[in-house]
């Protein structure tokens, strides 16, 4: 055990030294997609968001990994990633077969050659997935598909119903430096959270002219950083680990801030008085894609997993447990615990989907095509440390 | 019967020279330097390749930089990370904050460890002494992470154990970080001071007493000067462990950033910068050890 860990560390050290090898000049990074599948390799190592690949260890009743292991013969090793940056770094080690990547990791993974093109014909359930999730910038590059859509949703505003009496209708409450909840506000601890501030400014300060919170000019970016520095004075704690955020809301040391629906569900399950709301400015969100590592040691098991996890039965379990819109609308009829689940999350509403600002990695060549002078992600990373001070 | 057979085979082995292990041991016996090399090459390899090698890799990485769109690392040597480190005020604040926290933790641990170690070494009877030493060391068997999480549950405000019991708690922040780190590293201070006191002859204390010195005067002018090397040894542990911490600060520090938290956050997003920042605590510790060496405390260890 210890030796494998040391070996893994050495692997990381070597990867640091060699990490730029991935970006080759070939037209499609990550090699070619397979044309047919062989037998499963007996095991599978994946990186997933909390709640995406549950094997009963969080809650004995929540388990869809065991059935897959039994059917496919692939033993699944799940590593939970807390942020997209962490997932990107884990994928660089080459240890994993696949990842449930959000848009702020997926494009970088494609560009760095860390993920391989996916032959969607080998994933039968792909045909059933919502059309508005296919061939999007975050899962397709150069006309090639790089993954299978998993599900999507918004980052909600969570509040403690005992303390926050009026339902907040604007993200302004978390950016107010004179907030009555000073010291009890939380925010997501990752550079991509700067987009949440930009999204708020998009409607709060229209003269800044923000169109896409991931394509910011220097002036717009500075304005977002400024309100985040104001926010820092009222923050009780930033969160990146969902379980830590959950306990903070449960004990009441945090009463207001951005969250994932799954955290709200878990806290409510433990009796916490919390609720979530989608403020009027809209929200940032995620649209996640299962991607195959270009160095996958168990690609056949990964393809089996991607088909399994997009089947209506499993999608129904994941979507209900995580609190998101399933990529496969056929799942909607199977969510027995909440028949209105897909209505609540507007799972089949293409217009609503288009209204969410899905996480994407900002780059110098603006994502929205507005020019070549957007603030690149490396600047977002630096700014985030400065905001926290 | 078996014994007879065994003895016979041993006799044969000693007499004959065919077995390779025998031949090897005879060669080693004749060449003591070879013996030494064989004994030390494993640990030396460990020290040079894994320990110094990883430090070298860290140092080299710190001269690379993240490309603009954060998709990979540009392997051109340059000092941009260090330039940024020195010219951005927030990093200086974080370094100073970390050093202040580490110094405060060290002082608190010295103040707490002195009376505890003195009681164990000089006052307690043999059986109680063993019991107390065990009590000091047992917490080290528990996981660091579990203890930090336990403090998270204790210090939470509102809702923590302290808050529910006494109606007040420092909550999460710098004071909480100092409390938790002082708790975590206390055994590392008690053990060297106890060892130092154990070596201190009781006759010295008695002589001081005979010459008319009270407890405090004896403590100040006899015990403390002789304990300096032990205290310094303990402070090297508490100071360096606090300098590198990132888990306690993440769990009970609220939004506070220390050097460790910035390195941890950048490890995923901007590796070369994390490497550059990680050289700061190495440098601080080197300076600290050089300062300690000047006092002559290291020779007395």
């Amino acid at each position: 055990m210890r030796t494998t860990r040391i070996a893994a560390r050495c692997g990381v050290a070597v990867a640091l030294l060699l990490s730029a090898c991935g970006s080759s000049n070939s037209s499609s990074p990550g090699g070619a997609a397979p044309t047919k599948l062989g037998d499963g390799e007996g095991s599978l190592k994946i990186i997933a968001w909390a709640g995406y690949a549950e094997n009963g260890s969080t809650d004995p009743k929540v388990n869809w990994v065991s059935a897959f292991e039994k059917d496919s013969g692939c033993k699944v090793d799940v590593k939970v990633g807390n942020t997209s940056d962490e997932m990107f770094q884990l994928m660089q080690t080459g240890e994993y077969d696949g990842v449930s990547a959000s848009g702020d990791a997926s494009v970088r993974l494609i560009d760095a050659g860390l993920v391989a093109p996916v032959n969607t014909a080998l994933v039968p359930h792909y045909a059933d997935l919502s059309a508005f999730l296919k061939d999007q910038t975050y899962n397709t590059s150069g006309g090639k598909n790089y993954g299978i859509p998993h599900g999507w949703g918004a980052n909600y505003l969570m509040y403690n119903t005992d303390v926050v009496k009026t339902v907040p209708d604007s993200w302004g409450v978390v950016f107010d430096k004179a907030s009555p909840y000073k010291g009890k506000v939380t925010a997501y601890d990752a550079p991509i959270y700067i987009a949440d501030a930009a999204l708020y400014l998009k409607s709060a300060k229209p003269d800044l002219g923000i169109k896409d919170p991931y394509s910011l000019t220097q002036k717009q970016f500075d304005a977002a950083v400024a309100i985040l520095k104001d926010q820092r004075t009222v923050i009780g704690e930033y969160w990146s680990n969902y379980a830590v955020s959950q306990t903070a809301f449960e004990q009441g040391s945090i009463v207001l801030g951005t969250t994932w629906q799954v955290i709200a569900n878990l806290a409510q399950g433990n009796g916490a008085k919390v609720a979530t709301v989608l403020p009027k400015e809209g929200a940032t969100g995620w649209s996640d894609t299962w991607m195959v590592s270009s160095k996958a040691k168990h690609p056949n098991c990964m393809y089996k997993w991607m088909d399994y996890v997009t089947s209506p039965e499993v999608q129904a379990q994941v979507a209900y447990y995580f609190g998101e819109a399933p990529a496969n609308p056929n799942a909607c009829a199977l969510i027995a615990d909440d028949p209105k689940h897909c209505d609540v999350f507007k799972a089949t509403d293409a217009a609503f989907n288009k209204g969410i600002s899905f996480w994407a990695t900002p780059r110098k060549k603006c994502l929205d095509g507005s020019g070549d002078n957007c603030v690149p992600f490396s600047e977002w990373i630096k700014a985030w440390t400065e905001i926290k001070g | 019967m078996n014994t007879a057979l065994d003895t016979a085979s041993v006799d044969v082995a000693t007499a004959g020279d065919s077995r390779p292990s025998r031949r090897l041991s005879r060669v080693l016996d004749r060449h003591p330097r070879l013996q030494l090399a064989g004994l030390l090459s494993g640990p030396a390899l460990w020290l040079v390749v894994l320990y110094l090698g990883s430090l070298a890799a860290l140092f080299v990485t710190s001269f690379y930089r993240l490309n603009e769109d954060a998709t990979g690392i540009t392997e051109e040597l340059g000092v941009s990370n260090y330039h940024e480190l020195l010219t951005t005020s927030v990093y200086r604040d974080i370094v100073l904050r970390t050093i202040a926290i580490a110094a405060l933790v060290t002082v608190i641990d010295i103040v707490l460890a002195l009376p505890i170690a003195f009681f164990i070494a000089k006052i307690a009877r043999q059986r109680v002494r063993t019991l107390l030493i065990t009590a000091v060391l047992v917490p080290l068997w528990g996981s660091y992470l579990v203890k930090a999480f336990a403090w998270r549950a204790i210090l939470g405000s509102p809702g923590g154990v302290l808050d529910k019991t006494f109606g007040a708690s420092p909550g999460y922040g710098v004071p909480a970080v100092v409390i938790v780190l002082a708790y975590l590293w206390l055994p590392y201070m008690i053990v060297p001071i106890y060892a130092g006191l154990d070596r201190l002859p009781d006759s010295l204390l008695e002589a001081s007493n005979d010459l008319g010195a009270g407890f405090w005067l004896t403590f100040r002018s006899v015990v403390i000067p002789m304990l300096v090397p032990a205290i310094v040894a303990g402070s090297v542990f508490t100071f360096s462990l606090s300098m590198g911490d990132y888990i306690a600060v993440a769990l009970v520090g609220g939004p506070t950033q220390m050097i460790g938290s910035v390195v941890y956050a950048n490890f995923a997003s901007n590796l070369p910068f994390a490497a550059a920042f990680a050289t700061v605590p190495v440098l601080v510790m080197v300076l600290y050890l050089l300062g300690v060496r000047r006092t002559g405390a290291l020779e007395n260890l």
Side-chain angles (χ1 to χ4, degrees), chain A residues 16-17 19-20 85 88-89 108 112 232 236-237 244 248 251-252 363-364 376-378 381-382 385-386 388-389, chain B residues 66-71 73 75 84 88 90-91 97 152 156-159 172 251 254-255 257 266-269 271:
Chain A
L16 315 184
L17 293 168
S19 53
D85 297 326
F88 183 78
Q89 183 265 326
R108 272 193 288 163
R232 166 68 177 78
E237 196 167 51
V244 170
Q251 71 183 13
R363 57 174 190 229
K364 189 147 182 74
F377 194 54
S378 56
I381 293 170
K382 286 172 195 167
T385 306
E386 286 185 44
K388 289 199 289 173
Chain B
L66 187 70
N67 68 16
E68 208 165 42
D69 291 340
T71 54
I73 289 161
E75 290 184 29
E84 200 182 308
T88 316
V90 67
Y91 301 126
R97 182 186 304 137
R152 188 177 160 79
S157 173
Y172 304 139
L251 289 179
Q257 291 193 105
N266 278 276
F267 177 68
S269 52
L271 193 69

Side-chain angles (χ1 to χ4, degrees), chain B residues 138-156:
Chain B
V138 157
L140 292 180
W141 291 20
S143 158
Y144 166 96
L145 197 60
V146 170
K147 287 184 278 184
F149 259 109
W151 276 101
R152 188 177 160 79
I154 292 170
L155 291 167

Side-chain angles (χ1 to χ4, degrees), chain A residues 6 10 12-13 16-21 82-83 85-89 92 107-108 111-112 114 183-184 191 232 235-238 241 244-245 247-248 251-254 361-365 376-379 381-382 384-389, chain B residues 46 50 54 57-58 60-61 64 66-75 81 84 88 90-91 93-94 97 149 152-153 155-160 172 250-258 261-262 264-271 273 277:
Chain A
I6 290 166
C10 296
V12 172
L16 315 184
L17 293 168
L18 305 176
S19 53
C21 310
N82 288 313
T83 63
D85 297 326
E86 196 179 309
M87 289 182 169
F88 183 78
Q89 183 265 326
Q92 281 181 319
V107 177
R108 272 193 288 163
D111 288 350
L114 293 169
K184 294 188 164 57
R232 166 68 177 78
I235 289 282
E237 196 167 51
Y238 290 98
N241 180 308
V244 170
S245 177
T247 58
Q251 71 183 13
S253 59
I254 294 295
T361 310
R363 57 174 190 229
K364 189 147 182 74
K365 191 173 183 305
F377 194 54
S378 56
E379 294 298 323
I381 293 170
K382 286 172 195 167
W384 187 243
T385 306
E386 286 185 44
I387 288 163
K388 289 199 289 173
Chain B
W46 177 274
L50 292 182
S54 62
L58 178 85
V60 171
T61 308
Y64 295 155
L66 187 70
N67 68 16
E68 208 165 42
D69 291 340
T71 54
I73 289 161
T74 310
E75 290 184 29
N81 294 317
E84 200 182 308
T88 316
V90 67
Y91 301 126
D93 295 346
I94 291 168
R97 182 186 304 137
F149 259 109
R152 188 177 160 79
L155 291 167
S157 173
Y172 304 139
L251 289 179
V252 301
T256 313
Q257 291 193 105
M258 285 172 69
S261 27
V262 176
Y264 177 70
N266 278 276
F267 177 68
S269 52
N270 185 353
L271 193 69
F273 183 75
F277 211 21

Side-chain angles (χ1 to χ4, degrees), chain A residues 250-252, chain B residues 153-169:
Chain A
E250 279 173 11
Q251 71 183 13
Chain B
I154 292 170
L155 291 167
S157 173
V161 175
L162 270 184
D163 184 55
K164 278 184 185 156
T165 320
F166 301 106
S169 163

Side-chain angles (χ1 to χ4, degrees), chain B:
Chain B
M1 204 162 83
N2 266 339
T3 336
L5 256 178
D6 282 348
T7 326
S9 70
V10 168
D11 283 341
V12 170
T14 335
D17 15 288
S18 53
R19 281 208 300 197
S21 60
R22 274 281 141 196
R23 235 179 301 159
L24 181 69
S25 65
R26 266 206 309 279
V27 171
L28 285 178
D29 192 43
R30 256 177 259 141
H31 301 87
R33 271 171 187 282
L34 210 62
Q35 215 176 339
L36 194 69
L39 196 65
L40 288 185
S41 61
L45 200 73
W46 177 274
L47 184 74
V48 172
V49 176
L50 292 182
Y51 189 76
L52 295 180
S54 62
L55 269 182
L58 178 85
F59 199 60
V60 171
T61 308
S62 73
F63 291 99
Y64 295 155
R65 66 187 158 76
L66 187 70
N67 68 16
E68 208 165 42
D69 291 340
T71 54
I73 289 161
T74 310
E75 290 184 29
E76 283 164 25
L77 296 179
V79 292
S80 60
N81 294 317
Y82 290 97
H83 181 259
E84 200 182 308
L85 206 58
L86 294 172
T87 52
T88 316
S89 65
V90 67
Y91 301 126
R92 195 184 53 227
D93 295 346
I94 291 168
V95 169
L96 292 178
R97 182 186 304 137
T98 307
I99 292 175
I101 288 174
L104 195 57
V105 167
T106 302
V107 169
I108 290 173
D109 275 347
I110 292 172
V111 170
L112 290 177
L114 272 174
I116 296 174
F118 192 83
F119 182 82
I120 298 175
K122 295 296 174 201
I123 298 171
R125 280 176 297 135
Q126 185 58 46
R127 187 182 291 177
V128 182
R129 182 182 301 177
T130 318
L131 209 69
L132 286 174
I133 284 286
T134 315
V136 168
L137 293 179
V138 157
L140 292 180
W141 291 20
S143 158
Y144 166 96
L145 197 60
V146 170
K147 287 184 278 184
F149 259 109
W151 276 101
R152 188 177 160 79
I154 292 170
L155 291 167
S157 173
V161 175
L162 270 184
D163 184 55
K164 278 184 185 156
T165 320
F166 301 106
S169 163
Y172 304 139
V174 174
V177 174
V178 172
I179 292 170
V180 172
L181 290 179
Y183 159 79
L184 286 170
W185 313 139
L186 187 60
Y188 294 95
M189 186 61 89
I190 293 179
V191 169
I193 293 185
Y194 164 76
L197 280 168
D198 204 36
R199 283 202 299 265
L200 184 81
D202 287 347
S203 56
L204 284 182
L205 302 183
E206 284 156 16
S208 173
N209 198 20
D210 289 346
L211 291 170
F215 176 80
W216 284 113
L217 188 60
T218 307
F219 196 73
R220 217 172 54 229
S221 45
V222 178
V223 177
I224 291 286
M226 295 198 65
L227 274 186
V228 165
I231 293 173
V232 167
S235 77
V236 171
F237 291 126
T238 56
F239 192 77
S240 64
L241 290 170
S242 305
M243 283 291 291
D245 177 77
Y246 67 97
I247 293 176
V249 68
L251 289 179
V252 301
T256 313
Q257 291 193 105
M258 285 172 69
I259 293 178
S261 27
V262 176
V263 171
Y264 177 70
N266 278 276
F267 177 68
S269 52
N270 185 353
L271 193 69
F273 183 75
F277 211 21
T279 57
V280 173
V282 175
L283 195 74
V284 171
M285 279 320 290
V286 166
L287 291 176
Y288 187 76
L289 287 173
L290 284 178
V292 164
R293 204 173 69 123
R294 280 175 77 97
T295 67
L298 288 182
E299 285 102 75
N300 291 327
L301 276 182

Side-chain angles (χ1 to χ4, degrees), chain A residues 217-377:
Chain A
T217 64
Q218 192 65 47
K219 191 177 155 221
Q220 295 164 344
F221 183 75
D222 291 344
V225 168
I227 65 162
L228 287 166
K229 283 184 174 166
D230 287 346
Q231 184 195 46
R232 166 68 177 78
T233 60
V234 299
I235 289 282
E237 196 167 51
Y238 290 98
W239 70 274
S240 62
N241 180 308
Y242 77 103
V244 170
S245 177
Q246 183 199 330
T247 58
F249 268 102
E250 279 173 11
Q251 71 183 13
S253 59
I254 294 295
V255 300
L256 186 69
T258 186
T259 197
W260 299 332
Q261 189 61 41
V262 64
I263 299 175
N265 294 349
L266 288 168
Q268 283 164 350
N270 285 351
K273 298 257 188 310
V274 292
T276 56
V277 61
L278 195 66
K280 63 183 179 199
E281 292 92 357
T284 58
W286 73 92
S287 186
D288 292 346
T289 308
W290 284 101
M291 303 181 116
V292 186
S293 167
S294 51
K295 299 174 200 131
K297 296 180 189 78
H298 316 106
N300 295 330
C301 277
M302 188 62 206
Y303 269 83
K304 283 175 193 278
W305 168 258
M306 290 195 295
D307 190 48
Y308 175 78
V309 85
T310 47
S311 65
E313 296 76 19
V314 178
Q315 283 268 299
Q317 295 179 63
V318 182
Y320 178 69
Y321 179 69
F322 190 85
E324 66 179 355
N328 190 338
N330 295 344
C332 294
L334 303 176
I335 303 175
D337 292 306
D338 182 6
K340 284 188 163 15
H341 180 91
C342 284
D343 299 339
V344 172
F345 288 96
K346 301 188 165 70
T348 52
D349 186 339
F352 176 74
N353 177 283
K354 290 282 166 273
I356 296 177
S357 298
F358 288 117
W359 280 346
T361 310
R363 57 174 190 229
K364 189 147 182 74
K365 191 173 183 305
C366 305
L367 290 167
D368 64 355
S370 61
D372 291 329
N373 221 7
C374 282
V375 178
F377 194 54

